[in-house]
Amino acid sequence: MINFEYSLQSLSTRVQHSSSDEGTTELTKKAANHRKFVESDFDEILRTVWNAAQDDGYFRYIYRNDLPVKVLPGKFNFILQLNLDRALKRRKPQEIECPNQPFNPTEFNFSKVRNSEIIMKLINKSYGTEKSKNKKIPTSEDSNFILINVSPLEYGHILIVPNMNKNEPQRITLNGLKLALEVILLNKSCDFRVGFNSLCAYASVNHHHYHGYYLKHRLFIEHAELDALAGPCQVLVDRDYPAQAFVFVLDECEFETLNERMNNFLQATFKLILYLQQRNIAHNFYMTRGSAHNQIFNFDSLRIYIWARSSSFG
């Protein structure tokens, strides 16, 4: 396991790229070849330790880069993937009865995984100074870990587990949301995404965690035009999109204002999430790099999409 130390200076709201542009006319090819993005230290280490874990046989199956993938026709660029190994070899999901189900220590949880599955401990060196300046954002660095997902959906599939030793249920906290945001801002690849499934929204383990992985396809939601709903909350302008969501955007900013911007973004986003939690409404979220000006391949901001949904039990 690697102890990865970082600070606010390590985070970036803009994806940096080299001078090499290799665009083509096909959107899916552009996803892989349009630009060579500059890796961050975090990105390089994450790829290295994830690849080593796969080489050492710690996964339930080998992730194949040649999985059958189809981009559906139309403006939304929906992606279909056939991953039979994940369907047949993953751990059986737990029985879930409600979105606010308590943590059960007798069930599988991440404190029971093999040490070989824990690849990184995240240590934010800014915590001490930040805690004294901002009382609203809780801070804790005692047990924030990154684990491999032993049944990977995509390349680099990891689990971000805040306060792992505290055995919290699968319920977003402000501290957990902050950690998820920091992880995606540490990674300067436009392909890296972070997601969350609540209980009754296809979470399979009732232990607080977020998913991270690389998806080398360009998505409609990266650059889709947004319309103000209330305060900083926005919605998609295109009403044809089949899954309307609440959207929050963290725009590009200088380091001097990054901490304040992040805190405002987190507070606004968590306010909506708390509303859903208090009403037992199942939900998913998806964080991705995006464009503040709705331009394809211009990654100057970060978007989080939150979907409220009907509960799925079992």
Side-chain angles (χ1 to χ4, degrees):
M1 182 183 69
I2 293 175
N3 289 333
F4 185 83
E5 295 186 347
Y6 63 99
S7 64
L8 276 173
Q9 287 91 334
S10 311
L11 311 181
S12 176
T13 51
R14 170 175 279 276
V15 170
Q16 301 296 327
H17 59 87
S18 69
S19 58
S20 176
D21 287 335
E22 305 173 10
T24 71
T25 57
E26 296 182 51
L27 192 61
T28 53
K29 289 183 179 179
K30 284 184 177 181
N33 300 323
H34 181 71
R35 286 173 175 167
K36 292 183 177 180
F37 289 89
V38 178
E39 287 186 338
S40 65
D41 291 341
F42 176 81
D43 181 62
E44 182 178 2
I45 292 171
L46 179 60
R47 292 175 187 265
T48 299
V49 295
W50 195 90
N51 290 335
Q54 177 156 259
D55 292 341
D56 290 338
Y58 297 145
F59 293 84
R60 287 175 175 251
Y61 52 84
I62 299 296
Y63 173 76
R64 295 167 39 210
N65 288 318
D66 61 346
L67 286 172
V69 174
K70 181 178 181 179
V71 179
L72 297 183
K75 59 185 175 181
F76 298 132
N77 302 319
F78 289 128
I79 301 164
L80 296 181
Q81 179 202 79
L82 180 62
N83 188 336
L84 291 177
D85 282 332
R86 180 170 170 85
L88 299 174
K89 298 178 181 180
R90 65 179 298 203
R91 182 182 293 106
K92 182 182 178 181
Q94 296 173 6
E95 293 292 327
I96 305 299
E97 298 176 352
C98 73
N100 289 319
Q101 190 166 313
F103 179 86
N104 184 350
T106 66
E107 296 276 3
F108 170 80
N109 61 78
F110 300 120
S111 67
K112 298 181 180 183
V113 302
R114 299 169 297 176
N115 289 337
S116 56
E117 295 178 31
I118 306 173
I119 58 175
M120 195 180 298
K121 180 176 182 179
L122 297 171
I123 303 170
N124 188 335
K125 297 185 295 183
S126 301
Y127 271 126
T129 55
E130 184 181 340
K131 190 173 183 179
S132 62
K133 292 179 181 178
N134 191 329
K135 304 298 183 183
K136 293 183 178 180
I137 303 293
T139 58
S140 172
E141 56 163 311
D142 57 347
S143 58
N144 295 330
F145 291 103
I146 289 181
L147 285 58
I148 57 171
N149 188 323
V150 295
S151 302
L153 176 67
E154 270 290 349
Y155 173 74
H157 195 167
I158 58 170
L159 302 174
I160 304 160
V161 187
N163 303 316
M164 188 168 78
N165 301 328
K166 292 186 178 180
N167 291 339
E168 298 171 337
Q170 180 64 342
R171 180 183 170 97
I172 296 172
T173 65
L174 193 54
N175 190 55
L177 185 63
K178 182 173 186 287
L179 182 67
L181 176 62
E182 289 173 348
V183 169
I184 197 169
L185 294 181
L186 279 170
N187 196 312
K188 296 186 173 56
S189 169
C190 64
D191 298 330
F192 189 74
R193 332 287 177 144
V194 171
F196 175 89
N197 301 322
S198 80
L199 300 180
C200 297
Y202 296 102
S204 60
V205 177
N206 187 12
H207 192 174
H208 190 190
H209 68 285
Y210 305 80
H211 292 265
Y213 56 82
Y214 295 89
L215 179 65
K216 216 162 192 179
H217 291 274
R218 300 280 58 87
L219 305 177
F220 172 79
I221 59 175
E222 294 172 345
H223 60 85
E225 188 176 355
L226 303 174
D227 193 15
L229 178 64
C233 185
Q234 303 180 71
V235 293
L236 290 167
V237 170
D238 195 324
R239 297 297 190 263
D240 292 332
Y241 196 79
Q244 283 296 327
F246 302 102
V247 190
F248 296 86
V249 178
L250 177 62
D251 289 328
E252 179 183 12
C253 59
E254 300 298 327
F255 168 72
E256 290 76 16
T257 61
L258 177 58
N259 189 45
E260 180 182 0
R261 292 280 192 92
M262 284 179 57
N263 289 338
N264 292 339
F265 174 82
L266 288 165
Q267 292 288 347
T269 304
F270 188 67
K271 184 177 181 180
L272 174 60
I273 291 170
L274 191 60
Y275 178 92
L276 299 175
Q277 290 175 342
Q278 291 173 341
R279 288 157 179 79
N280 270 321
I281 299 174
H283 50 279
N284 310 92
F285 86 51
Y286 196 71
M287 282 189 193
T288 183
R289 298 281 184 169
S291 170
H293 304 289
N294 311 316
Q295 298 173 345
I296 302 176
F297 305 117
N298 181 33
F299 301 101
D300 59 357
S301 62
L302 182 133
R303 296 181 174 198
I304 179 169
Y305 286 78
I306 302 173
W307 288 275
R309 58 177 300 145
S310 300
S311 290
S312 175
F313 301 101

